[in-house]
């Protein structure tokens, strides 16, 4: 009876792959489509369909038409194009706009020494409570053992999860839990190099860069001796890399990637990869972040890249007492010529920086680190929080190893991050799409920037110094401490976000 069904329906009954159904429909293009039910459910449907068929056959003499109609109903229930393998239907989830992204970087090694994906999932309510709408997970793939430094950026298998972090099922549960809370999940992708014991090294040595003696080399100009440099002149390697990236989009339903050392990988590869990833995810949208600052990343299709120059300027102002005009000049240069809708990711730290010093140490205390955070993220949007900075973790975090973080250590600081992010989310003017109008402080100590988007206006005022600073607010703004005037004295590293009525 089943071979009377259309071929695309028969494929649901007879074809299985990785314990999930494969729909042999034209749109699937000989790859798994987004069938959400498992094989055992299809067999139950088969039995049910057969019983219904036999019952109706006795009553009516129109079996072929009924078979086709029932087959169509089965196809609609078993092959929902918006569902994911083994995951609940998340039709209500929508990716936030790039301009409104509040990203939280997850280093699994500060959450638990093993099964850390489950530990992250257990803390999702706390993370969401900060006001986060995108989670970036650092690499969770099996780590190379040959020449190893235990770096998660030395990847032995692009299509697996290391037991240290959990399983693919754990990752899928984390993604679904994030979506139910209105948060996107992007994974870290390392396309520049692999571990020395990645299967590609032995199976496809021509996929790697060689020296004059024919030896595979680590990335030139680095001390990354634990990884082997990939050769992007090889088209087969490019195809395999894109296939691996598609795996997580198709099988887990992630929402994009943060791409490691993106500037070191040819832009034309990114253009090809991102186009294919977006096509594979459609109608879902993806968020693509490049760890790099080259303008080519935007032309290649990335939505965001790193504001490395701004972070360097931030350190010059807060640590070396450079004029705040350096921040304004750097912001202007970073956004000069940027395509509409593209965003620079601003931060006071990330996993690389916190390996050297956490914000509390780098900027000179908790209050100074908060002032730097406001200057970094409220000047032109693009907000990143590195998991641990919200509790003011005081000492460096080596992401090559497990470092326990006490998430209850500093509730006052966490509350302040929560308050600031709530203001950021409540005022679109503070986000990346808001205009930026700077106001001069002759002493060069206080950052004063007016942000505006339509009727929403906010004045950002930050004392970048470890001493009191006096400023005169711009015309049209009034001091919250002197309602009839514009004069304002700020305590060391004090900051204010003012609305036109003078309220912080």
């Amino acid at each position: 009876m089943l071979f009377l069904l259309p071929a695309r329906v028969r494929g649901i009954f007879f074809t299985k792959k990785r314990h999930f159904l494969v729909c042999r429909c034209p749109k699937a293009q000989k790859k798994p489509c987004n069938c959400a039910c498992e094989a055992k459910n299809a067999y139950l449907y088969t039995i049910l369909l057969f019983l219904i068929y036999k019952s109706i056959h006795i009553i009516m003499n129109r079996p072929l038409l009924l078979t086709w109609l029932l087959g169509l109903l089965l196809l609609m229930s078993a092959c929902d194009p918006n569902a994911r393998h083994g995951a609940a239907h998340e039709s209500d989830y929508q990716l936030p706009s790039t301009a409104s992204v509040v990203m939280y970087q997850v280093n699994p090694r500060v959450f638990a020494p093993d099964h850390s994906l489950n530990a992250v999932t257990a803390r999702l309510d706390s993370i969401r409570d900060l006001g986060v709408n995108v989670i970036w997970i650092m690499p969770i793939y099996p780590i190379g053992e040959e020449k190893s430094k235990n770096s998660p950026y030395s990847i032995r298998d692009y299509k697996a999860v290391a037991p240290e972090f959990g399983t693919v099922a754990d990752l899928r549960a984390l993604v679904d839990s994030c979506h139910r809370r209105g948060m996107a999940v992007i994974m870290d992708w390392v396309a520049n190099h692999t571990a020395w014991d990645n299967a590609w090294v032995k199976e496809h040595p021509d996929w790697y860069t060689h020296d004059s003696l024919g030896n595979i080399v680590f990335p030139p100009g680095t001390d990354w001796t634990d990884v082997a440099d990939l050769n992007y002149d090889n088209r087969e390697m490019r195809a395999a890399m894109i296939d691996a990236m598609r795996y997580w989009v198709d099988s887990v339903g992630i929402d994009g990637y943060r791409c490691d050392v993106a500037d070191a990988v040819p832009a034309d590869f990114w253009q090809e990869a991102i186009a294919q990833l977006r096509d594979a995810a459609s109608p879902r949208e993806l968020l693509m972040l490049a760890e790099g600052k080259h303008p080519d990343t935007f032309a290649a299709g990335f939505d965001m890249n790193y504001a490395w120059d701004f972070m360097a300027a931030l350190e010059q102002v807060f640590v070396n007492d450079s004029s705040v005009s350096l921040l304004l000049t750097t912001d202007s240069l970073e956004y000069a010529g940027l395509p509409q809708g593209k965003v620079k990711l601003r931060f006071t730290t990330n996993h690389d920086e916190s390996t050297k010093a956490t914000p509390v140490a780098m900027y000179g205390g908790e209050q100074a680190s908060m002032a730097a955070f406001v200057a970094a993220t409220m000047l032109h949007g693009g907000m990143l929080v590195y998991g641990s900075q919200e509790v003011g973790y005081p000492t460096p975090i080596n992401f090559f190893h497990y470092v326990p973080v006490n998430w209850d250590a500093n509730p006052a600081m966490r509350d302040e991050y929560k308050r600031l992010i709530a203001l950021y989310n409540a005022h679109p003017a503070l986000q990346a799409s808001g205009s930026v109008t700077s106001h001069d402080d002759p002493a060069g100590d206080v950052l004063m920037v007016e942000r505006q988007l339509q009727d929403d206006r906010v004045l950002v005022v930050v004392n970048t110094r470890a001493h009191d600073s006096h400023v005169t607010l711009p015309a049209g703004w009034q001091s919250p401490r002197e309602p009839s005037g514009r004069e304002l004295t700020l305590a060391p590293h004090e900051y204010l976000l003012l609305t036109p009525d003078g309220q912080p």
Side-chain angles (χ1 to χ4, degrees):
M1 179 269 293
L2 288 176
F3 57 80
L4 295 176
L5 296 173
R8 61 187 293 178
V9 179
R10 292 202 307 272
I12 291 177
F13 293 108
F14 297 128
T15 308
K16 292 185 292 181
K17 186 176 182 180
R18 295 191 183 97
H19 306 296
F20 297 102
L21 301 181
V22 177
C23 175
R24 299 300 187 189
C25 56
K27 187 176 180 180
Q29 298 176 343
K30 299 182 179 180
K31 67 178 188 296
C33 79
N34 293 324
C35 299
C37 59
E38 298 183 5
K40 62 182 181 181
N41 293 331
Y43 293 124
L44 292 175
Y45 275 123
T46 304
I47 295 170
L48 179 61
L49 178 61
F50 178 75
L51 292 175
I52 294 174
Y53 172 83
K54 294 296 290 185
S55 299
I56 297 176
H57 181 66
I58 295 172
I59 301 172
M60 300 176 62
N61 192 27
R62 300 292 299 277
L64 184 60
L65 177 60
L66 289 171
T67 299
W68 277 72
L69 291 175
L70 290 171
L72 179 61
L73 291 174
L74 173 63
L75 179 64
M76 292 172 63
S77 63
C79 190
D80 178 356
N82 293 316
R84 294 195 309 277
H85 296 176
H89 183 41
E90 308 287 351
S91 59
D92 292 337
Y93 176 73
Q94 289 186 340
L95 193 71
S97 68
T98 307
S100 65
V101 163
V102 177
M103 188 176 295
Y104 186 91
Q105 181 183 356
V106 168
N107 172 8
R109 284 176 164 169
V110 302
F111 284 83
D114 53 53
H115 296 90
S116 49
L117 288 176
N118 289 339
V120 175
T121 300
R123 288 204 55 82
L124 287 181
D125 286 335
S126 177
I127 294 171
R128 180 66 188 94
D129 189 54
L130 280 174
V132 170
N133 56 25
V134 176
I135 285 181
W136 148 30
I137 304 174
M138 288 173 61
I140 55 173
Y141 319 99
I143 296 169
E145 297 178 358
E146 184 178 342
K147 304 181 183 180
S148 179
K149 298 179 181 179
N150 204 32
S151 167
Y153 290 88
S154 174
I155 296 174
R156 184 159 43 91
D157 185 350
Y158 281 115
K159 292 185 177 181
V161 174
E164 171 191 348
F165 305 119
T167 66
V168 174
D170 294 336
L171 176 61
R172 186 176 293 115
L174 190 157
V175 171
D176 292 339
S177 296
C178 284
H179 286 175
R180 285 194 296 272
R181 291 165 173 79
M183 295 187 291
V185 177
I186 65 173
M187 291 176 68
D188 218 320
W189 195 258
V190 186
N192 184 65
H193 47 261
T194 75
W196 289 99
D197 47 359
N198 189 301
W200 289 4
V201 174
K202 288 186 177 180
E203 295 173 3
H204 306 284
D206 56 318
W207 290 7
Y208 291 84
T209 306
H210 295 73
D211 62 17
S212 59
L213 300 177
N215 301 309
I216 297 176
V217 300
F218 62 85
T222 76
D223 61 355
W224 304 342
T225 56
D226 58 331
V227 293
D229 191 60
L230 286 164
N231 173 20
Y232 272 85
D233 290 334
N234 190 295
R235 299 299 305 180
E236 290 183 356
M237 186 279 291
R238 288 182 175 220
M241 184 66 70
I242 294 172
D243 176 73
M245 295 181 79
R246 288 187 61 165
Y247 171 75
W248 299 104
V249 173
D250 290 339
S251 66
V252 177
I254 64 166
D255 303 293
Y257 287 104
R258 175 266 188 191
C259 296
D260 189 60
V261 287
D263 287 348
V265 176
D268 65 329
F269 166 77
W270 290 127
Q271 187 172 24
E272 180 183 5
I274 292 172
Q276 290 194 36
L277 290 172
R278 295 195 191 280
D279 180 66
S282 181
R284 295 190 298 119
E285 295 181 349
L286 296 180
L287 176 66
M288 299 297 296
L289 165 65
E291 189 216 10
K293 62 180 185 178
H294 201 284
D296 282 355
T297 56
F298 290 126
F302 282 98
D303 304 294
M304 308 178 77
N305 73 9
Y306 272 41
W308 281 122
D309 290 342
F310 191 87
M311 185 181 179
L314 198 69
E315 185 174 357
Q316 286 296 316
V317 171
F318 275 83
V319 178
N320 297 328
D321 290 335
S322 294
S323 170
V324 294
S325 62
L326 179 61
L327 295 178
L328 301 171
T329 300
T330 305
D331 174 69
S332 179
L333 289 173
E334 284 195 331
Y335 270 89
L338 223 63
Q340 184 70 25
K342 305 297 185 178
V343 175
K344 303 291 292 189
L345 185 68
R346 297 273 170 84
F347 45 84
T348 56
T349 192
N350 52 45
H351 66 284
D352 287 316
E353 298 305 314
S354 279
T355 299
K356 297 175 284 188
T358 59
V360 171
M362 178 182 294
Y363 297 103
E366 291 184 4
Q367 181 63 30
S369 73
M370 296 305 304
F373 179 76
V374 172
T377 61
M378 305 294 184
L379 172 56
H380 212 145
M383 180 180 287
L384 174 69
V385 176
Y386 177 51
S388 68
Q389 78 177 86
E390 73 268 33
V391 294
Y393 195 84
T395 56
I397 295 176
N398 183 348
F399 63 91
F400 286 11
H401 307 285
Y402 169 60
V403 178
V405 169
N406 180 0
W407 301 104
D408 300 320
N410 198 334
M413 192 171 194
R414 176 189 160 80
D415 286 346
E416 181 62 2
Y417 272 104
K418 180 179 175 180
R419 184 185 76 87
L420 291 171
I421 296 172
L423 289 170
Y424 184 85
N425 286 331
H427 290 279
L430 290 172
Q431 299 168 13
S433 53
S435 65
V436 179
T437 303
S438 62
H439 297 280
D440 183 51
D441 169 29
D445 296 336
V446 177
L447 177 69
M448 285 191 293
V449 175
E450 183 177 341
R451 306 295 313 282
Q452 181 169 359
L453 185 65
Q454 298 177 349
D455 294 332
D456 187 29
R457 295 172 62 208
V458 180
L459 183 67
V460 179
V461 185
V462 182
N463 182 7
T464 66
R465 305 301 187 225
H467 56 72
D468 289 352
S469 296
H470 181 81
V471 292
T472 301
L473 298 182
W477 295 88
Q478 63 185 48
S479 169
R481 293 162 192 163
E482 298 180 28
S484 60
R486 294 157 46 203
E487 303 304 311
L488 181 64
T489 298
L490 297 165
H493 293 129
E494 184 181 2
Y495 49 85
L496 294 172
L497 303 175
L498 302 176
T499 53
D501 59 6
Q503 297 302 308

